[in-house]
Amino acid sequence: MNAYENNAFFWQKLDTLYLSSRLVVDRPKGTCHYKFSNLIYPVDYGYLNDTSGSDQAPIDVFRGSNNTTLVQSVAVCADILKKDCEIKLLIGCTEEEEFEILEFLNQTEFQKAVLIRRGNEVPEWASND
């Protein structure tokens, strides 16, 4: 088994979470972060109501300008101030918006993020899912 396999079933589960929840945009594109006024949201940002992530808060979502309902990528973030790791779903983002989101998430010395893009592969071990 590879250390990283882009399992199509994983993405289907994320799509189901997104489609079965209500997206609440509480920080529209162009607004400032509530704690750090120098951080400007490059796209709409919010959360999925009635969900919970690893930090016990709702799952975070960046919503771009494309009209789609599929989760196209996830940002995995490590934050040394909050002492946590969490994922953020990216929906409908152009490549440029993905880049801007990564810049936004990586601009402080306290938080760093990587992006994992959607794949359609089904690993052999997952074919019975």
Side-chain angles (χ1 to χ4, degrees):
M1 180 186 321
N2 294 330
Y4 167 72
E5 294 190 80
N6 204 336
N7 184 342
F9 295 124
F10 169 77
W11 296 101
Q12 288 174 350
K13 302 300 184 252
L14 290 180
D15 291 341
T16 300
L17 277 171
Y18 177 69
L19 293 170
S20 65
S21 302
R22 183 174 61 89
L23 174 61
V24 176
V25 174
D26 58 351
R27 298 172 201 159
K29 176 181 178 174
T31 59
C32 298
H33 186 277
Y34 70 101
K35 283 186 182 176
F36 307 104
S37 61
N38 60 318
L39 302 180
I40 309 296
Y41 287 91
V43 297
D44 289 344
Y45 182 75
Y47 59 91
L48 296 179
N49 202 33
D50 298 326
T51 64
S52 105
S54 61
D55 60 356
Q56 305 308 310
I59 296 171
D60 297 323
V61 175
F62 284 100
R63 180 76 174 98
S65 59
N66 287 337
N67 187 20
T68 182
T69 57
L70 297 178
V71 178
Q72 71 193 60
S73 52
V74 294
V76 181
C77 305
D79 188 320
I80 61 172
L81 286 181
K82 293 182 355 186
K83 292 189 175 185
D84 78 353
C85 290
E86 59 183 72
I87 71 162
K88 298 172 186 303
L89 308 182
L90 279 70
I91 313 287
C93 297
T94 65
E95 281 188 39
E96 181 179 335
E97 289 169 334
E98 283 184 336
F99 181 76
E100 290 171 348
I101 291 165
L102 272 177
E103 277 188 326
F104 174 81
L105 293 172
N106 283 290
Q107 64 184 308
T108 74
E109 62 185 289
F110 306 110
Q111 176 178 280
K112 296 300 173 192
V114 296
L115 189 73
I116 299 173
R117 288 190 172 94
R118 185 184 192 113
N120 295 317
E121 301 83 23
V122 177
E124 186 176 313
W125 57 264
S127 61
N128 294 327
D129 188 24

Short mmCIF file of all heavy atoms in Angstrom, two decimals, residues 56-118:
data_model
loop_
_atom_site.label_atom_id
_atom_site.label_comp_id
_atom_site.label_asym_id
_atom_site.label_seq_id
_atom_site.Cartn_x
_atom_site.Cartn_y
_atom_site.Cartn_z
N GLN A 56 -14.03 19.86 17.30
CA GLN A 56 -15.39 19.86 17.83
C GLN A 56 -16.24 21.02 17.31
O GLN A 56 -17.40 21.15 17.68
CB GLN A 56 -15.40 19.85 19.37
CG GLN A 56 -14.61 18.71 19.99
CD GLN A 56 -15.00 17.35 19.42
OE1 GLN A 56 -16.17 17.01 19.38
NE2 GLN A 56 -14.03 16.57 18.99
N ALA A 57 -15.69 21.85 16.47
CA ALA A 57 -16.45 22.91 15.81
C ALA A 57 -16.95 22.37 14.47
O ALA A 57 -16.46 21.35 13.99
CB ALA A 57 -15.55 24.13 15.60
N PRO A 58 -17.91 23.04 13.85
CA PRO A 58 -18.39 22.57 12.54
C PRO A 58 -17.25 22.53 11.51
O PRO A 58 -16.25 23.23 11.64
CB PRO A 58 -19.43 23.62 12.16
CG PRO A 58 -19.89 24.20 13.45
CD PRO A 58 -18.67 24.20 14.33
N ILE A 59 -17.44 21.72 10.47
CA ILE A 59 -16.45 21.58 9.41
C ILE A 59 -16.38 22.88 8.61
O ILE A 59 -17.41 23.41 8.18
CB ILE A 59 -16.81 20.39 8.49
CG1 ILE A 59 -16.75 19.09 9.30
CG2 ILE A 59 -15.87 20.34 7.29
CD1 ILE A 59 -17.29 17.88 8.55
N ASP A 60 -15.16 23.38 8.40
CA ASP A 60 -14.94 24.63 7.67
C ASP A 60 -14.97 24.41 6.16
O ASP A 60 -14.54 23.36 5.67
CB ASP A 60 -13.58 25.23 8.05
CG ASP A 60 -13.50 25.59 9.52
OD1 ASP A 60 -14.52 26.06 10.07
OD2 ASP A 60 -12.43 25.42 10.13
N VAL A 61 -15.44 25.44 5.44
CA VAL A 61 -15.56 25.36 3.99
C VAL A 61 -15.10 26.68 3.36
O VAL A 61 -15.49 27.75 3.81
CB VAL A 61 -17.03 25.09 3.56
CG1 VAL A 61 -17.18 25.14 2.05
CG2 VAL A 61 -17.51 23.77 4.12
N PHE A 62 -14.30 26.57 2.31
CA PHE A 62 -14.00 27.69 1.42
C PHE A 62 -14.86 27.48 0.18
O PHE A 62 -14.81 26.41 -0.44
CB PHE A 62 -12.53 27.72 1.01
CG PHE A 62 -11.60 28.22 2.06
CD1 PHE A 62 -10.86 27.35 2.84
CD2 PHE A 62 -11.45 29.58 2.28
CE1 PHE A 62 -9.99 27.80 3.82
CE2 PHE A 62 -10.57 30.06 3.24
CZ PHE A 62 -9.85 29.18 4.02
N ARG A 63 -15.66 28.48 -0.21
CA ARG A 63 -16.56 28.38 -1.37
C ARG A 63 -16.10 29.35 -2.42
O ARG A 63 -16.13 30.56 -2.23
CB ARG A 63 -18.00 28.69 -0.95
CG ARG A 63 -19.00 28.60 -2.08
CD ARG A 63 -19.29 27.14 -2.40
NE ARG A 63 -20.33 27.00 -3.38
CZ ARG A 63 -20.10 26.81 -4.67
NH1 ARG A 63 -18.87 26.76 -5.14
NH2 ARG A 63 -21.09 26.65 -5.51
N GLY A 64 -15.67 28.79 -3.57
CA GLY A 64 -15.15 29.61 -4.67
C GLY A 64 -16.22 30.07 -5.63
O GLY A 64 -17.42 29.95 -5.37
N SER A 65 -15.78 30.55 -6.79
CA SER A 65 -16.68 31.19 -7.75
C SER A 65 -17.31 30.21 -8.75
O SER A 65 -18.24 30.59 -9.45
CB SER A 65 -15.92 32.27 -8.52
OG SER A 65 -14.80 31.71 -9.19
N ASN A 66 -16.83 28.97 -8.83
CA ASN A 66 -17.43 27.99 -9.74
C ASN A 66 -18.70 27.40 -9.13
O ASN A 66 -18.77 27.18 -7.93
CB ASN A 66 -16.46 26.85 -10.05
CG ASN A 66 -15.35 27.29 -10.98
OD1 ASN A 66 -15.49 28.25 -11.72
ND2 ASN A 66 -14.23 26.58 -10.94
N ASN A 67 -19.67 27.12 -9.98
CA ASN A 67 -20.93 26.57 -9.52
C ASN A 67 -20.86 25.04 -9.56
O ASN A 67 -21.12 24.44 -10.60
CB ASN A 67 -22.08 27.08 -10.40
CG ASN A 67 -23.43 26.67 -9.86
OD1 ASN A 67 -23.57 26.33 -8.69
ND2 ASN A 67 -24.43 26.69 -10.72
N THR A 68 -20.47 24.42 -8.45
CA THR A 68 -20.40 22.97 -8.35
C THR A 68 -20.74 22.56 -6.92
O THR A 68 -20.66 23.37 -6.01
CB THR A 68 -19.01 22.44 -8.74
OG1 THR A 68 -19.02 21.01 -8.67
CG2 THR A 68 -17.93 22.97 -7.82
N THR A 69 -21.13 21.32 -6.77
CA THR A 69 -21.47 20.82 -5.43
C THR A 69 -20.53 19.71 -4.99
O THR A 69 -20.80 19.03 -4.01
CB THR A 69 -22.91 20.31 -5.39
OG1 THR A 69 -23.07 19.29 -6.37
CG2 THR A 69 -23.90 21.44 -5.62
N LEU A 70 -19.42 19.51 -5.72
CA LEU A 70 -18.46 18.48 -5.34
C LEU A 70 -17.31 19.08 -4.55
O LEU A 70 -16.85 20.19 -4.84
CB LEU A 70 -17.89 17.78 -6.58
CG LEU A 70 -18.88 17.02 -7.46
CD1 LEU A 70 -18.15 16.43 -8.66
CD2 LEU A 70 -19.59 15.94 -6.67
N VAL A 71 -16.84 18.34 -3.56
CA VAL A 71 -15.65 18.75 -2.82
C VAL A 71 -14.47 18.44 -3.74
O VAL A 71 -14.25 17.31 -4.12
CB VAL A 71 -15.51 17.97 -1.49
CG1 VAL A 71 -14.25 18.37 -0.77
CG2 VAL A 71 -16.74 18.19 -0.62
N GLN A 72 -13.73 19.47 -4.12
CA GLN A 72 -12.64 19.27 -5.08
C GLN A 72 -11.29 19.09 -4.42
O GLN A 72 -10.39 18.51 -5.02
CB GLN A 72 -12.57 20.43 -6.05
CG GLN A 72 -12.07 21.71 -5.38
CD GLN A 72 -12.28 22.92 -6.22
OE1 GLN A 72 -13.40 23.25 -6.56
NE2 GLN A 72 -11.20 23.58 -6.58
N SER A 73 -11.15 19.57 -3.21
CA SER A 73 -9.89 19.42 -2.50
C SER A 73 -10.11 19.72 -1.03
O SER A 73 -11.16 20.25 -0.64
CB SER A 73 -8.80 20.33 -3.09
OG SER A 73 -9.24 21.66 -3.18
N VAL A 74 -9.13 19.35 -0.23
CA VAL A 74 -9.14 19.69 1.19
C VAL A 74 -7.80 20.32 1.54
O VAL A 74 -6.77 19.95 1.00
CB VAL A 74 -9.40 18.46 2.11
CG1 VAL A 74 -10.78 17.91 1.90
CG2 VAL A 74 -8.37 17.39 1.92
N ALA A 75 -7.87 21.29 2.43
CA ALA A 75 -6.66 21.87 3.00
C ALA A 75 -6.48 21.25 4.38
O ALA A 75 -7.43 21.23 5.18
CB ALA A 75 -6.79 23.38 3.11
N VAL A 76 -5.31 20.70 4.63
CA VAL A 76 -4.98 20.14 5.93
C VAL A 76 -4.09 21.16 6.62
O VAL A 76 -3.03 21.51 6.11
CB VAL A 76 -4.26 18.78 5.80
CG1 VAL A 76 -3.95 18.21 7.18
CG2 VAL A 76 -5.10 17.81 4.98
N CYS A 77 -4.55 21.65 7.78
CA CYS A 77 -3.88 22.75 8.47
C CYS A 77 -3.33 22.30 9.82
O CYS A 77 -4.02 21.59 10.56
CB CYS A 77 -4.85 23.89 8.71
SG CYS A 77 -5.65 24.50 7.22
N ALA A 78 -2.12 22.75 10.13
CA ALA A 78 -1.52 22.54 11.45
C ALA A 78 -1.31 23.92 12.07
O ALA A 78 -0.71 24.79 11.46
CB ALA A 78 -0.19 21.80 11.33
N ASP A 79 -1.83 24.11 13.28
CA ASP A 79 -1.78 25.40 13.95
C ASP A 79 -1.12 25.22 15.32
O ASP A 79 -1.67 24.54 16.18
CB ASP A 79 -3.21 25.93 14.11
CG ASP A 79 -3.27 27.36 14.62
OD1 ASP A 79 -2.47 27.71 15.51
OD2 ASP A 79 -4.13 28.11 14.13
N ILE A 80 0.05 25.85 15.50
CA ILE A 80 0.76 25.67 16.78
C ILE A 80 0.19 26.55 17.89
O ILE A 80 0.39 26.25 19.06
CB ILE A 80 2.28 25.87 16.64
CG1 ILE A 80 2.62 27.28 16.16
CG2 ILE A 80 2.88 24.82 15.72
CD1 ILE A 80 4.10 27.61 16.20
N LEU A 81 -0.53 27.62 17.54
CA LEU A 81 -1.16 28.44 18.59
C LEU A 81 -2.36 27.71 19.19
O LEU A 81 -2.53 27.68 20.41
CB LEU A 81 -1.61 29.79 18.03
CG LEU A 81 -0.52 30.81 17.73
CD1 LEU A 81 -1.15 32.10 17.20
CD2 LEU A 81 0.32 31.10 18.95
N LYS A 82 -3.19 27.14 18.34
CA LYS A 82 -4.35 26.39 18.82
C LYS A 82 -3.99 24.96 19.20
O LYS A 82 -4.81 24.26 19.79
CB LYS A 82 -5.44 26.36 17.74
CG LYS A 82 -6.05 27.72 17.48
CD LYS A 82 -7.18 27.80 16.47
CE LYS A 82 -7.60 26.64 15.71
NZ LYS A 82 -8.61 26.88 14.68
N LYS A 83 -2.78 24.55 18.84
CA LYS A 83 -2.30 23.18 19.08
C LYS A 83 -3.27 22.16 18.50
O LYS A 83 -3.71 21.24 19.17
CB LYS A 83 -2.06 22.92 20.57
CG LYS A 83 -0.90 23.72 21.12
CD LYS A 83 -0.55 23.30 22.51
CE LYS A 83 0.68 24.04 22.97
NZ LYS A 83 1.14 23.61 24.27
N ASP A 84 -3.60 22.36 17.19
CA ASP A 84 -4.51 21.43 16.55
C ASP A 84 -4.19 21.27 15.07
O ASP A 84 -3.38 22.00 14.51
CB ASP A 84 -5.96 21.84 16.74
CG ASP A 84 -6.44 22.98 15.85
OD1 ASP A 84 -5.61 23.59 15.14
OD2 ASP A 84 -7.64 23.27 15.85
N CYS A 85 -4.82 20.29 14.49
CA CYS A 85 -4.82 20.05 13.05
C CYS A 85 -6.27 19.91 12.63
O CYS A 85 -7.07 19.35 13.37
CB CYS A 85 -4.08 18.76 12.70
SG CYS A 85 -2.31 18.85 12.96
N GLU A 86 -6.60 20.43 11.47
CA GLU A 86 -7.96 20.30 10.98
C GLU A 86 -7.96 20.38 9.47
O GLU A 86 -6.99 20.80 8.86
CB GLU A 86 -8.89 21.35 11.58
CG GLU A 86 -8.50 22.78 11.30
CD GLU A 86 -9.42 23.78 11.97
OE1 GLU A 86 -9.36 23.92 13.20
OE2 GLU A 86 -10.21 24.41 11.24
N ILE A 87 -9.08 19.93 8.88
CA ILE A 87 -9.23 20.06 7.44
C ILE A 87 -10.29 21.10 7.12
O ILE A 87 -11.18 21.36 7.92
CB ILE A 87 -9.55 18.72 6.75
CG1 ILE A 87 -10.98 18.27 7.07
CG2 ILE A 87 -8.54 17.66 7.06
CD1 ILE A 87 -11.49 17.22 6.10
N LYS A 88 -10.14 21.67 5.94
CA LYS A 88 -11.12 22.63 5.43
C LYS A 88 -11.48 22.16 4.02
O LYS A 88 -10.59 21.86 3.22
CB LYS A 88 -10.51 24.03 5.41
CG LYS A 88 -10.13 24.49 6.82
CD LYS A 88 -9.36 25.79 6.80
CE LYS A 88 -8.85 26.17 8.17
NZ LYS A 88 -9.83 26.30 9.21
N LEU A 89 -12.77 22.10 3.72
CA LEU A 89 -13.22 21.67 2.41
C LEU A 89 -13.18 22.82 1.43
O LEU A 89 -13.52 23.95 1.79
CB LEU A 89 -14.66 21.13 2.49
CG LEU A 89 -14.96 20.06 3.54
CD1 LEU A 89 -16.42 19.64 3.43
CD2 LEU A 89 -14.03 18.88 3.40
N LEU A 90 -12.78 22.56 0.20
CA LEU A 90 -12.80 23.56 -0.86
C LEU A 90 -13.84 23.12 -1.89
O LEU A 90 -13.77 22.02 -2.43
CB LEU A 90 -11.43 23.69 -1.53
CG LEU A 90 -10.41 24.57 -0.80
CD1 LEU A 90 -9.93 23.93 0.47
CD2 LEU A 90 -9.24 24.89 -1.70
N ILE A 91 -14.81 24.00 -2.14
CA ILE A 91 -15.91 23.73 -3.05
C ILE A 91 -15.91 24.81 -4.13
O ILE A 91 -15.91 26.00 -3.80
CB ILE A 91 -17.27 23.78 -2.32
CG1 ILE A 91 -17.27 23.01 -1.03
CG2 ILE A 91 -18.41 23.37 -3.26
CD1 ILE A 91 -17.27 21.53 -1.14
N GLY A 92 -15.93 24.40 -5.39
CA GLY A 92 -16.10 25.36 -6.48
C GLY A 92 -14.99 26.37 -6.64
O GLY A 92 -15.24 27.49 -7.09
N CYS A 93 -13.78 26.01 -6.30
CA CYS A 93 -12.65 26.95 -6.40
C CYS A 93 -11.89 26.76 -7.70
O CYS A 93 -11.63 25.63 -8.12
CB CYS A 93 -11.69 26.74 -5.23
SG CYS A 93 -12.43 27.10 -3.63
N THR A 94 -11.54 27.85 -8.34
CA THR A 94 -10.66 27.80 -9.50
C THR A 94 -9.25 27.49 -9.02
O THR A 94 -8.97 27.56 -7.81
CB THR A 94 -10.65 29.15 -10.25
OG1 THR A 94 -10.07 30.14 -9.38
CG2 THR A 94 -12.06 29.57 -10.67
N GLU A 95 -8.35 27.17 -9.94
CA GLU A 95 -6.95 26.94 -9.55
C GLU A 95 -6.37 28.18 -8.89
O GLU A 95 -5.62 28.08 -7.92
CB GLU A 95 -6.11 26.53 -10.76
CG GLU A 95 -6.29 25.09 -11.14
CD GLU A 95 -5.31 24.65 -12.22
OE1 GLU A 95 -4.14 25.08 -12.19
OE2 GLU A 95 -5.73 23.87 -13.09
N GLU A 96 -6.70 29.35 -9.42
CA GLU A 96 -6.20 30.60 -8.83
C GLU A 96 -6.74 30.77 -7.41
O GLU A 96 -6.00 31.18 -6.50
CB GLU A 96 -6.61 31.80 -9.71
CG GLU A 96 -6.10 33.12 -9.17
CD GLU A 96 -6.49 34.30 -10.05
OE1 GLU A 96 -6.72 34.11 -11.26
OE2 GLU A 96 -6.55 35.42 -9.50
N GLU A 97 -8.02 30.46 -7.20
CA GLU A 97 -8.59 30.57 -5.86
C GLU A 97 -7.94 29.56 -4.90
O GLU A 97 -7.69 29.89 -3.75
CB GLU A 97 -10.11 30.37 -5.91
CG GLU A 97 -10.83 31.55 -6.55
CD GLU A 97 -12.29 31.28 -6.85
OE1 GLU A 97 -12.69 30.11 -7.04
OE2 GLU A 97 -13.06 32.26 -6.92
N GLU A 98 -7.67 28.35 -5.38
CA GLU A 98 -6.96 27.37 -4.54
C GLU A 98 -5.61 27.94 -4.10
O GLU A 98 -5.24 27.82 -2.93
CB GLU A 98 -6.73 26.06 -5.29
CG GLU A 98 -7.93 25.18 -5.39
CD GLU A 98 -7.62 23.85 -6.05
OE1 GLU A 98 -6.64 23.76 -6.82
OE2 GLU A 98 -8.35 22.89 -5.78
N PHE A 99 -4.89 28.53 -5.04
CA PHE A 99 -3.59 29.14 -4.72
C PHE A 99 -3.75 30.26 -3.69
O PHE A 99 -2.98 30.34 -2.73
CB PHE A 99 -2.92 29.65 -6.00
CG PHE A 99 -1.58 30.27 -5.77
CD1 PHE A 99 -0.46 29.47 -5.54
CD2 PHE A 99 -1.43 31.64 -5.76
CE1 PHE A 99 0.78 30.04 -5.31
CE2 PHE A 99 -0.18 32.22 -5.53
CZ PHE A 99 0.93 31.41 -5.31
N GLU A 100 -4.76 31.11 -3.88
CA GLU A 100 -5.00 32.22 -2.94
C GLU A 100 -5.36 31.69 -1.55
O GLU A 100 -4.95 32.26 -0.53
CB GLU A 100 -6.11 33.13 -3.46
CG GLU A 100 -5.72 33.93 -4.69
CD GLU A 100 -6.88 34.65 -5.34
OE1 GLU A 100 -8.06 34.37 -5.00
OE2 GLU A 100 -6.62 35.50 -6.20
N ILE A 101 -6.13 30.60 -1.48
CA ILE A 101 -6.48 30.00 -0.20
C ILE A 101 -5.23 29.46 0.49
O ILE A 101 -5.03 29.66 1.69
CB ILE A 101 -7.54 28.89 -0.39
CG1 ILE A 101 -8.87 29.52 -0.79
CG2 ILE A 101 -7.69 28.04 0.87
CD1 ILE A 101 -9.88 28.54 -1.36
N LEU A 102 -4.37 28.78 -0.27
CA LEU A 102 -3.12 28.29 0.31
C LEU A 102 -2.26 29.43 0.82
O LEU A 102 -1.66 29.34 1.90
CB LEU A 102 -2.34 27.45 -0.70
CG LEU A 102 -2.69 25.98 -0.74
CD1 LEU A 102 -1.90 25.27 -1.82
CD2 LEU A 102 -2.47 25.31 0.61
N GLU A 103 -2.18 30.52 0.05
CA GLU A 103 -1.44 31.70 0.52
C GLU A 103 -2.04 32.23 1.82
O GLU A 103 -1.32 32.55 2.77
CB GLU A 103 -1.46 32.81 -0.53
CG GLU A 103 -0.44 32.66 -1.60
CD GLU A 103 -0.37 33.89 -2.50
OE1 GLU A 103 -1.42 34.53 -2.75
OE2 GLU A 103 0.74 34.20 -2.95
N PHE A 104 -3.37 32.33 1.87
CA PHE A 104 -4.07 32.81 3.05
C PHE A 104 -3.76 31.93 4.26
O PHE A 104 -3.46 32.44 5.35
CB PHE A 104 -5.58 32.82 2.77
CG PHE A 104 -6.44 33.16 3.94
CD1 PHE A 104 -6.64 34.48 4.30
CD2 PHE A 104 -7.07 32.18 4.68
CE1 PHE A 104 -7.44 34.82 5.40
CE2 PHE A 104 -7.88 32.49 5.77
CZ PHE A 104 -8.06 33.83 6.13
N LEU A 105 -3.81 30.61 4.09
CA LEU A 105 -3.60 29.68 5.20
C LEU A 105 -2.13 29.58 5.64
O LEU A 105 -1.86 29.13 6.75
CB LEU A 105 -4.12 28.30 4.84
CG LEU A 105 -5.64 28.19 4.66
CD1 LEU A 105 -6.01 26.82 4.10
CD2 LEU A 105 -6.36 28.47 5.97
N ASN A 106 -1.21 29.98 4.79
CA ASN A 106 0.21 29.83 5.09
C ASN A 106 0.92 31.14 5.39
O ASN A 106 2.14 31.17 5.51
CB ASN A 106 0.92 29.13 3.92
CG ASN A 106 0.67 27.65 3.91
OD1 ASN A 106 1.15 26.93 4.76
ND2 ASN A 106 -0.12 27.19 2.95
N GLN A 107 0.20 32.24 5.56
CA GLN A 107 0.87 33.53 5.70
C GLN A 107 1.33 33.87 7.11
O GLN A 107 2.01 34.86 7.29
CB GLN A 107 0.01 34.64 5.11
CG GLN A 107 -1.31 34.88 5.78
CD GLN A 107 -2.11 35.93 5.06
OE1 GLN A 107 -1.63 37.02 4.80
NE2 GLN A 107 -3.35 35.62 4.72
N THR A 108 1.00 33.06 8.08
CA THR A 108 1.53 33.32 9.42
C THR A 108 2.54 32.25 9.79
O THR A 108 2.53 31.15 9.24
CB THR A 108 0.42 33.34 10.50
OG1 THR A 108 0.00 32.00 10.75
CG2 THR A 108 -0.76 34.19 10.09
N GLU A 109 3.39 32.55 10.74
CA GLU A 109 4.38 31.57 11.18
C GLU A 109 3.76 30.50 12.08
O GLU A 109 4.39 29.49 12.35
CB GLU A 109 5.52 32.27 11.92
CG GLU A 109 5.06 33.00 13.19
CD GLU A 109 6.17 33.80 13.84
OE1 GLU A 109 7.08 33.18 14.41
OE2 GLU A 109 6.09 35.05 13.77
N PHE A 110 2.54 30.69 12.50
CA PHE A 110 1.90 29.79 13.46
C PHE A 110 1.07 28.69 12.80
O PHE A 110 0.78 27.67 13.41
CB PHE A 110 1.01 30.57 14.42
CG PHE A 110 1.75 31.69 15.10
CD1 PHE A 110 1.48 33.01 14.79
CD2 PHE A 110 2.74 31.41 16.03
CE1 PHE A 110 2.17 34.03 15.41
CE2 PHE A 110 3.44 32.43 16.65
CZ PHE A 110 3.16 33.75 16.33
N GLN A 111 0.62 28.92 11.56
CA GLN A 111 -0.20 27.93 10.87
C GLN A 111 0.37 27.64 9.50
O GLN A 111 0.78 28.56 8.79
CB GLN A 111 -1.64 28.44 10.71
CG GLN A 111 -2.51 27.49 9.91
CD GLN A 111 -3.93 27.95 9.79
OE1 GLN A 111 -4.71 27.78 10.72
NE2 GLN A 111 -4.28 28.55 8.67
N LYS A 112 0.39 26.38 9.13
CA LYS A 112 0.80 25.96 7.79
C LYS A 112 -0.21 24.95 7.28
O LYS A 112 -0.84 24.23 8.06
CB LYS A 112 2.21 25.37 7.79
CG LYS A 112 3.28 26.37 8.18
CD LYS A 112 3.33 27.56 7.24
CE LYS A 112 4.29 28.64 7.73
NZ LYS A 112 4.14 29.90 7.01
N ALA A 113 -0.36 24.91 5.95
CA ALA A 113 -1.36 24.03 5.34
C ALA A 113 -0.83 23.43 4.05
O ALA A 113 0.02 24.01 3.39
CB ALA A 113 -2.64 24.83 5.06
N VAL A 114 -1.38 22.26 3.72
CA VAL A 114 -1.13 21.62 2.44
C VAL A 114 -2.49 21.35 1.79
O VAL A 114 -3.52 21.30 2.47
CB VAL A 114 -0.35 20.29 2.58
CG1 VAL A 114 1.05 20.55 3.14
CG2 VAL A 114 -1.09 19.29 3.45
N LEU A 115 -2.48 21.18 0.47
CA LEU A 115 -3.70 20.95 -0.27
C LEU A 115 -3.68 19.55 -0.87
O LEU A 115 -2.67 19.13 -1.44
CB LEU A 115 -3.82 21.98 -1.40
CG LEU A 115 -5.14 22.02 -2.14
CD1 LEU A 115 -6.22 22.64 -1.27
CD2 LEU A 115 -5.00 22.84 -3.42
N ILE A 116 -4.77 18.83 -0.71
CA ILE A 116 -4.93 17.51 -1.33
C ILE A 116 -6.09 17.62 -2.30
O ILE A 116 -7.22 17.95 -1.90
CB ILE A 116 -5.21 16.43 -0.27
CG1 ILE A 116 -4.04 16.34 0.72
CG2 ILE A 116 -5.45 15.08 -0.96
CD1 ILE A 116 -4.30 15.42 1.89
N ARG A 117 -5.79 17.37 -3.58
CA ARG A 117 -6.82 17.48 -4.62
C ARG A 117 -7.56 16.16 -4.83
O ARG A 117 -6.99 15.09 -4.64
CB ARG A 117 -6.19 17.93 -5.93
CG ARG A 117 -5.76 19.38 -5.89
CD ARG A 117 -5.37 19.88 -7.27
NE ARG A 117 -5.14 21.30 -7.24
CZ ARG A 117 -3.95 21.85 -7.07
NH1 ARG A 117 -2.88 21.10 -6.92
NH2 ARG A 117 -3.83 23.16 -7.05
N ARG A 118 -8.78 16.28 -5.25
CA ARG A 118 -9.66 15.13 -5.49
C ARG A 118 -9.08 14.22 -6.58
O ARG A 118 -8.54 14.69 -7.57
CB ARG A 118 -11.03 15.62 -5.92
CG ARG A 118 -12.04 14.52 -6.07
CD ARG A 118 -13.37 15.06 -6.61
NE ARG A 118 -14.39 14.06 -6.47
CZ ARG A 118 -15.43 14.16 -5.66
NH1 ARG A 118 -15.61 15.23 -4.93
NH2 ARG A 118 -16.31 13.18 -5.58
#
